[in-house]
Amino acid sequence: MYSSEFSEENDRTDAAAITLTDEKGRSLECYVEHSLSVDGQEYILLLPVDSPIEIFAWQGDGEEEEAILVEDDATIDELFSTAQAVLSEQNLIIRNTAYALTVVGELPPVEESEIFTLEIEDEDQEADLEPEQLQLLASFYHQNQEYAVYTPLDPLLFFARITKTGKPELLSPEEFRKVQPLLEEHLFNQVE
């Protein structure tokens, strides 16, 4: 059995901040939402300080129109300055941070007409995952292709372990599946 101990950070002004760094040297500043110790290993649940965004390319026409997530770094680099220009109209500054694009600034209020629901299919599992709801921030054209910038309505969370050197390291999907039941059990007990 695991020994587990959780602590929670709710007040953002006093919340500990940790910086995640990816293999390209980009960083992402995060608040520590929860920490969990399992068999002497410390795990942390992290929430980015800035708001995450995703860029989608719209493909097809009318009923057949489909949103394709732009994940390729070269395409993101090509779109970056145009996305920055349209977001700056809302006083938002885009950043190419580790593990996710983010924006700095106050997001506009959520309007029902600006919400996009993304159905997510998981090839590894039989059942579809919960649909993700996203808020439209801006849309633009680049080389006759329509793109849209969205921010998720649900928080983007990262789960990491603290290494022996004191640095956070994201868990692999296999490691996350091992610790996930403990996290869910703690969060469920907290709600009760």
Side-chain angles (χ1 to χ4, degrees):
M1 194 69 199
Y2 297 109
S3 63
S4 68
E5 205 178 291
F6 259 98
S7 65
E8 184 177 352
E9 304 287 344
N10 279 332
D11 184 1
R12 294 279 188 264
T13 58
D14 295 335
I18 285 191
T19 302
L20 290 174
T21 305
D22 66 9
E23 65 279 349
K24 294 181 179 178
R26 298 178 295 194
S27 61
L28 178 66
E29 195 74 20
C30 297
Y31 295 117
V32 176
E33 287 293 297
H34 298 282
S35 65
L36 163 69
S37 181
V38 177
D39 295 336
Q41 175 64 62
E42 185 180 357
Y43 297 95
I44 50 178
L45 185 63
L46 302 171
L47 176 69
V49 170
D50 298 322
S51 302
I53 60 166
E54 296 174 342
I55 300 175
F56 289 88
W58 285 99
Q59 309 269 317
D61 293 318
E63 292 293 318
E64 299 297 315
E65 198 169 40
E66 182 181 10
I68 309 295
L69 180 63
V70 177
E71 297 180 280
D72 176 67
D73 283 340
T75 305
I76 289 171
D77 289 345
E78 189 178 320
L79 300 173
F80 198 84
S81 62
T82 306
Q84 177 56 59
V86 297
L87 290 170
S88 68
E89 293 173 12
Q90 299 178 45
N91 295 321
L92 296 172
I93 300 168
I94 189 172
R95 290 192 174 157
N96 194 352
T97 51
Y99 308 110
L101 291 171
T102 58
V103 291
V104 177
E106 188 174 331
L107 295 176
V110 177
E111 293 182 27
E112 279 300 313
S113 63
E114 300 294 318
I115 293 178
F116 169 63
T117 301
L118 181 64
E119 301 291 331
I120 303 170
E121 297 174 7
D122 189 351
E123 293 86 25
D124 298 336
Q125 299 180 4
E126 302 273 323
D128 290 341
L129 299 173
E130 286 289 317
E132 182 179 5
Q133 290 197 310
L134 304 159
Q135 174 187 357
L136 176 66
L137 296 178
S139 58
F140 61 93
Y141 282 87
H142 181 76
Q143 296 182 351
N144 296 322
Q145 171 65 56
E146 182 181 7
Y147 293 93
V149 180
Y150 290 91
T151 186
L153 293 182
D154 291 330
L156 174 65
L157 299 169
F158 293 97
F159 206 52
R161 85 164 71 76
I162 300 296
T163 65
K164 291 179 174 136
T165 61
K167 301 243 186 259
E169 179 180 275
L170 286 184
L171 297 183
S172 70
E174 298 79 31
E175 292 171 304
F176 178 71
R177 280 193 280 280
K178 175 185 167 193
V179 182
Q180 184 179 9
L182 293 172
L183 177 63
E184 289 173 350
E185 178 184 329
H186 172 74
L187 293 175
F188 181 75
N189 289 340
Q190 220 179 26
V191 169
E192 290 179 343

